[in-house]
Amino acid sequence: MVLYIIGLGLGTEKDITLRGLEAVKSSSALFLESYTSVLCVSKEKLEELYGKPVTIATRDMVESESDRILSGAKDGNVSMLVVGDPVCATTHTDMMIRARELGIKVELVHNASVMGAAGCCGLHLYNFGKTISVPFFTEGWRPTSFHPMVLYNRRGDMHTLCLLDIKVREPDFEAMKRGRTEYLPPRFMSVNVALEQMLEAADVSEDKEKGAYDKDTLCVGMARLGQADECIKAGSMSELLSEDFGEPLHCLVVCSDDVHELEMEALDCFIVEGSRYKDWRTQQQGGD
Amino acid sequence: MVLYIIGLGLGTEKDITLRGLEAVKSSSALFLESYTSVLCVSKEKLEELYGKPVTIATRDMVESESDRILSGAKDGNVSMLVVGDPVCATTHTDMMIRARELGIKVELVHNASVMGAAGCCGLHLYNFGKTISVPFFTEGWRPTSFHPMVLYNRRGDMHTLCLLDIKVREPDFEAMKRGRTEYLPPRFMSVNVALEQMLEAADVSEDKEKGAYDKDTLCVGMARLGQADECIKAGSMSELLSEDFGEPLHCLVVCSDDVHELEMEALDCFIVEGSRYKDWRTQQQGGD
């Protein structure tokens, strides 16, 4: 009688741990949380590996029907499968609290998350500050509250991991007006859109907040981290604006001005052609 | 002809991913990095699961004989097994750079790390600032450079993850004087020793740096994260000083003063008996 919250990691169905697979095999019901991130394999692939059906859990379901999900755990084990690591999204915290209130044992099965995998560009994870989220701007809603956070991180010589907006199962208001419940196709923010919005946010910020970053600031754009075709490119904000990172999910790191020499050495192979940061290493060696 | 750097996660031999296990099975040589962290299972357990021998890689070996490790990867695959995630320790970054220089393909197999698992106390990972390391103080060496970092994090409403010192394979200088190469027994810093040292550091810091934290600051002590007997206790620094966290590894979080209500709700079940933070929730509800 356990609620397992199982991290699936970042790549394919094979990124589950042996412990996670054992928990899945012991469960009578499997739910896949599908709205804070996306897996790059189909539900069918998972079902094939697990040998049992998987139910997609939408935001509505996790937030308003968590008792229904949890009721299964009173008779047999229930597994909630999440992309990445169970503790990286606050939704699962809610469900854990609710389960404990109901007297259901909760076990986490950890796995890799984007917050750990972001270190594979060579920047040291212990130099990262607060993580920010960049939401899709709309005509009337262009929040810039992330800007002072990047400023604070950079003033303290910290890198900033930027998580980029995901819109999954957004209601189609036009269809709703016609009395139909329909959803818009999913949207995933690209590194390019994030950079555009972030540069706009820097432009419109109050004077005291200027200087968090500008078009010349070193950034690292990353796509499909932990997957076979992951893409990592580093360069200034303006250089990365026109780079193609391919399919989602994307994320971005705004580097501190104080990138350690070892970090820069590891970043070197990801610097885009023609970048102002391209010759950093040669310049340093020439200066010896 | 691949160098795999494979995260083993935090718990037992079963925390390896299916992808990691496939890489291990395809390798002709397996090395276990053993000095930046420790696994709670024996090398023999790993060998039993993998069906092949595992060589312990000491710091000396990884730092000065990395070419010998890498030479294997020219003929067949080589796996370097690391506790946690491959990108969380800088040693592996060095080896990755060296491998790329030698033209050897490097593949990372991600897994859970302490930097992700630290979120299982209920604090949100995106609210963490720079990670600090607390070294064992000696009679003549009591560095306090972590103190201003905690101050900066807390002024920016960020939690601070504190990684605690590990001394593995430290040379025994007394034995060396007698001409013998011997090593001291391994030492792992406890939450208690870390708190003592951190309070001392706050005491001796210059005035401008005072106020990073004091004995009443809310902290979370964690031991054996991701393992079956993991231990999480929250309370003020002085309250946690006398709590027993058991076997290593330990780590510690110094909370920001701005703990979010949802975080506090999740932390609630870890608050120690009699703590000044114990009635936080009731107080809040009473105040409605």
Side-chain angles (χ1 to χ4, degrees):
Chain A
M1 319 314 133
V2 180
L3 168 68
Y4 290 107
I5 306 186
I6 303 174
L8 298 184
L10 299 169
T12 72
E13 73 280 9
K14 291 188 179 171
D15 287 297
I16 195 170
T17 64
L18 303 188
R19 179 197 301 274
L21 191 58
E22 277 182 7
V24 160
K25 300 259 184 201
S26 82
S27 294
S28 50
L30 303 177
F31 296 91
L32 173 65
E33 189 270 345
S34 65
Y35 57 91
T36 55
S37 190
V38 285
L39 207 60
C40 69
V41 290
S42 65
K43 180 170 93 88
E44 289 68 31
K45 275 272 192 193
L46 296 182
E47 290 175 330
E48 198 184 312
L49 175 65
Y50 303 160
K52 54 184 79 173
V54 171
T55 305
I56 300 281
T58 61
R59 184 187 292 267
D60 287 353
M61 192 168 166
V62 173
E63 286 178 1
S64 59
E65 298 176 60
S66 65
D67 279 15
R68 185 164 78 81
I69 295 176
L70 293 172
S71 66
K74 288 189 177 159
D75 308 315
N77 299 339
V78 168
S79 287
M80 173 64 75
L81 309 169
V82 301
V83 180
D85 187 82
V87 295
C88 286
T90 52
T91 330
H92 319 126
T93 315
D94 292 354
M95 183 161 280
M96 281 158 60
I97 293 172
R98 184 72 190 122
R100 288 200 189 104
E101 283 169 357
L102 293 170
I104 296 165
K105 192 177 171 203
V106 179
E107 275 190 32
L108 301 186
V109 181
H110 291 292
N111 209 318
S113 73
V114 64
M115 291 170 108
C120 66
C121 64
L123 297 170
H124 296 161
L125 285 177
Y126 50 76
N127 289 333
F128 279 68
K130 198 176 260 196
T131 300
I132 64 159
S133 295
V134 183
F136 274 118
F137 282 1
T138 64
E139 209 169 335
W141 191 68
R142 307 175 90 74
T144 59
S145 52
F146 55 77
H147 185 264
M149 290 186 199
V150 181
L151 180 65
Y152 192 85
N153 280 346
R154 278 174 51 82
R155 282 200 181 145
D157 291 331
M158 294 186 260
H159 312 308
T160 308
L161 175 63
C162 313
L163 301 178
L164 309 187
D165 205 358
I166 293 177
K167 295 281 186 200
V168 183
R169 250 177 101 91
E170 290 289 299
D172 180 343
F173 291 110
E174 287 307 311
M176 281 174 97
K177 279 186 207 158
R178 297 190 300 273
R180 286 198 306 251
T181 304
E182 283 181 16
Y183 298 94
L184 296 169
R187 290 165 72 207
F188 305 96
M189 187 183 287
S190 65
V191 166
N192 318 85
V193 168
L195 287 168
E196 270 170 34
Q197 293 193 177
M198 290 178 76
L199 286 168
E200 178 186 319
D203 269 348
V204 302
S205 287
E206 290 170 32
D207 272 346
K208 68 174 165 53
E209 285 164 10
K210 284 232 174 178
Y213 51 79
D214 63 26
K215 64 180 181 47
D216 293 330
T217 303
L218 179 62
C219 288
V220 187
M222 297 186 272
R224 302 174 304 288
L225 275 182
Q227 299 177 21
D229 65 341
E230 80 179 3
C231 169
I232 304 178
K233 294 181 184 184
S236 72
M237 283 197 160
S238 56
E239 288 159 3
L240 295 185
L241 265 178
S242 55
E243 289 291 327
D244 183 10
F245 291 84
E247 296 295 303
L249 295 176
H250 293 187
C251 67
L252 177 71
V253 179
V254 182
C255 299
S256 83
D257 278 331
D258 185 35
V259 179
H260 186 277
E261 194 178 323
L262 258 182
E263 293 180 308
M264 204 68 206
E265 205 181 330
L267 258 185
D268 203 54
C269 60
F270 302 120
I271 303 275
V272 296
E273 276 310 313
S275 167
R276 59 190 291 124
Y277 292 98
K278 191 66 192 175
D279 295 326
W280 180 88
R281 213 172 153 189
T282 334
Q283 282 163 16
Q284 295 287 310
Q285 284 164 348
D288 281 350
Chain B
M1 318 311 130
V2 180
L3 169 69
Y4 291 107
I5 307 186
I6 304 174
L8 298 184
L10 300 168
T12 71
E13 72 281 9
K14 289 188 179 170
D15 287 297
I16 194 169
T17 64
L18 302 189
R19 180 197 300 277
L21 192 58
E22 277 181 7
V24 160
K25 301 258 183 200
S26 81
S27 294
S28 49
L30 304 177
F31 296 90
L32 172 65
E33 190 270 345
S34 65
Y35 58 92
T36 56
S37 190
V38 285
L39 207 60
C40 71
V41 290
S42 64
K43 181 170 92 89
E44 288 68 31
K45 275 272 191 193
L46 297 182
E47 290 175 330
E48 197 183 313
L49 175 65
Y50 303 159
K52 52 184 81 173
V54 171
T55 305
I56 299 282
T58 60
R59 183 187 292 266
D60 287 352
M61 191 169 166
V62 174
E63 286 177 1
S64 58
E65 299 175 59
S66 64
D67 280 15
R68 184 164 79 82
I69 294 175
L70 292 171
S71 67
K74 288 188 178 161
D75 308 313
N77 299 338
V78 169
S79 288
M80 172 65 75
L81 310 169
V82 302
V83 180
D85 186 81
V87 296
C88 287
T90 52
T91 331
H92 320 125
T93 316
D94 292 353
M95 184 163 278
M96 281 158 61
I97 294 173
R98 184 72 190 122
R100 288 200 189 104
E101 284 170 354
L102 293 170
I104 297 165
K105 193 176 171 204
V106 179
E107 276 190 32
L108 301 185
V109 181
H110 291 292
N111 209 317
S113 72
V114 63
M115 291 171 108
C120 65
C121 64
L123 297 171
H124 296 162
L125 285 179
Y126 49 76
N127 289 334
F128 279 69
K130 197 176 262 196
T131 301
I132 65 160
S133 295
V134 184
F136 275 117
F137 283 0
T138 62
E139 208 170 336
W141 191 69
R142 308 174 89 75
T144 58
S145 54
F146 55 78
H147 185 266
M149 291 187 199
V150 181
L151 181 66
Y152 192 85
N153 280 347
R154 278 174 49 85
R155 282 199 181 145
D157 291 331
M158 294 185 262
H159 311 307
T160 308
L161 175 62
C162 312
L163 302 179
L164 310 187
D165 205 357
I166 293 176
K167 295 281 186 200
V168 183
R169 249 176 102 88
E170 290 289 299
D172 180 342
F173 291 110
E174 287 307 312
M176 282 174 98
K177 278 187 210 159
R178 296 190 301 272
R180 286 198 306 250
T181 305
E182 283 183 16
Y183 298 94
L184 297 168
R187 289 166 70 207
F188 306 97
M189 188 184 286
S190 65
V191 166
N192 318 84
V193 168
L195 287 168
E196 269 171 36
Q197 292 194 178
M198 290 178 76
L199 286 168
E200 178 186 319
D203 269 347
V204 301
S205 288
E206 291 171 30
D207 272 346
K208 68 175 166 54
E209 285 164 11
K210 285 231 174 180
Y213 51 79
D214 63 26
K215 66 180 180 47
D216 292 331
T217 303
L218 179 62
C219 287
V220 187
M222 298 186 272
R224 301 174 304 287
L225 274 181
Q227 299 177 20
D229 65 341
E230 79 180 3
C231 168
I232 303 178
K233 295 181 183 184
S236 72
M237 284 197 159
S238 57
E239 288 158 4
L240 295 186
L241 264 178
S242 54
E243 290 289 329
D244 182 9
F245 291 84
E247 294 296 302
L249 293 176
H250 294 189
C251 67
L252 177 72
V253 179
V254 181
C255 299
S256 83
D257 277 333
D258 185 36
V259 179
H260 187 276
E261 194 177 323
L262 258 180
E263 292 181 309
M264 204 66 206
E265 205 180 330
L267 257 186
D268 204 54
C269 61
F270 302 119
I271 303 275
V272 295
E273 277 309 315
S275 166
R276 58 191 290 125
Y277 292 99
K278 191 67 192 174
D279 294 326
W280 179 90
R281 214 172 151 187
T282 333
Q283 282 164 16
Q284 294 289 309
Q285 285 164 349
D288 281 349

